[in-house]
Amino acid sequence: RKEVEQDPGPFNVPEGATVAFNCTYSNSASQSFFWYRQDCRKEPKLLMSVYSSGNEDGRFTAQLNRASQYISLLIRDSKLSDSATYLCVVQGSQGNLIFGKGTKLSVKP
Amino acid sequence: GAGVSQSPSNKVTEKGKDVELRCDPISGHTALYWYRQSLGQGLEFLIYFQGNSAPDKSGLPSDRFSAERTGGSVSTLTIQRTQQEDSAVYLCASSYDRGNQPQHFGDGTRLSIL
């Protein structure tokens, strides 16, 4: 089983739509979780950390379910500029980041 | 500069040559990480430094890969006798320390082995 698994997509949605991405991780001892965003041929950029109680940053909401080892990201009112690949990330024991392969989102006018 | 700086941005070299990639982390960041991203693949962790020390080199793909960091700042990743499968984007990230701190990535070095 891969350490971090995501649906690769692509998700093609119209502007204004709500879209949700899911991710599962294999190591139950993992403590830190993140969503990163990667634009084509660019470096990954931190979108948000994911906390046990769930957290929100504007149009973005992240949730963590430790019992199911499941992480989600909800994007409301999608914008064209949200088009990117969204990477589910778990922090490893060395502090390194363990990345999923990413879910590609394309927001259309 | 304020961010993580990597050089060169692009490197094209012939199979069998040695290459050296450089990473200059954000000032004051003690933790430094190397990753690589092959075409169509996820990011793969290679090695990390806490200060000048790399406690675990097991993530390096082969013994042709080595890395060092001096003065708690600049790090170099060296690939000897390059092979075509080494072609990838090599990304460096730094964070304030090794704990639950955001990692900031450089733009990467796009390495192409002919």
Side-chain angles (χ1 to χ4, degrees), chain A residues 41-60:
Chain A
R41 298 177 73 87
K42 296 286 191 179
E43 77 279 15
K45 291 187 178 175
L46 178 66
L47 180 65
M48 58 197 301
S49 301
V50 185
Y51 303 118
S52 296
S53 53
N55 50 299
E56 188 174 303
D57 183 0
R59 299 181 292 109
F60 299 84

Side-chain angles (χ1 to χ4, degrees), chain B:
Chain B
V4 177
S5 177
Q6 289 188 246
S7 61
S9 300
N10 289 281
K11 177 74 176 177
V12 180
T13 193
E14 293 178 347
K15 178 182 168 181
K17 300 284 190 186
D18 297 351
V19 296
E20 189 174 277
L21 312 179
R22 176 188 167 108
C23 172
D24 197 345
I26 293 172
S27 178
H29 281 193
T30 61
L32 184 149
Y33 303 83
W34 283 99
Y35 300 85
R36 76 174 175 181
Q37 188 169 29
S38 303
L39 189 63
Q41 300 297 312
L43 280 94
E44 173 191 10
F45 168 65
L46 299 179
I47 192 169
Y48 90 94
F49 288 88
Q50 182 63 43
N52 292 334
S53 173
D56 185 348
K57 297 182 169 66
S58 62
L60 295 174
S62 79
D63 58 9
R64 296 184 293 103
F65 286 71
S66 62
E68 65 174 18
R69 188 181 186 193
T70 54
S73 181
V74 172
S75 175
T76 54
L77 177 70
T78 301
I79 310 173
Q80 294 178 308
R81 304 181 303 282
T82 51
Q83 303 293 311
Q84 286 188 331
E85 63 262 27
D86 299 334
S87 296
V89 177
Y90 289 80
L91 289 154
C92 175
S94 71
S95 63
Y96 185 70
D97 65 32
R98 192 168 70 92
N100 182 16
Q101 298 287 330
Q103 291 186 21
H104 301 272
F105 283 81
D107 291 343
T109 293
R110 189 171 299 274
L111 178 63
S112 300
I113 309 299
L114 303 178

Side-chain angles (χ1 to χ4, degrees), chain A residues 24-36:
Chain A
T24 57
Y25 60 95
S26 61
N27 185 353
S28 60
S30 299
Q31 295 295 316
S32 300
F33 310 89
F34 310 91
W35 283 99
Y36 273 71

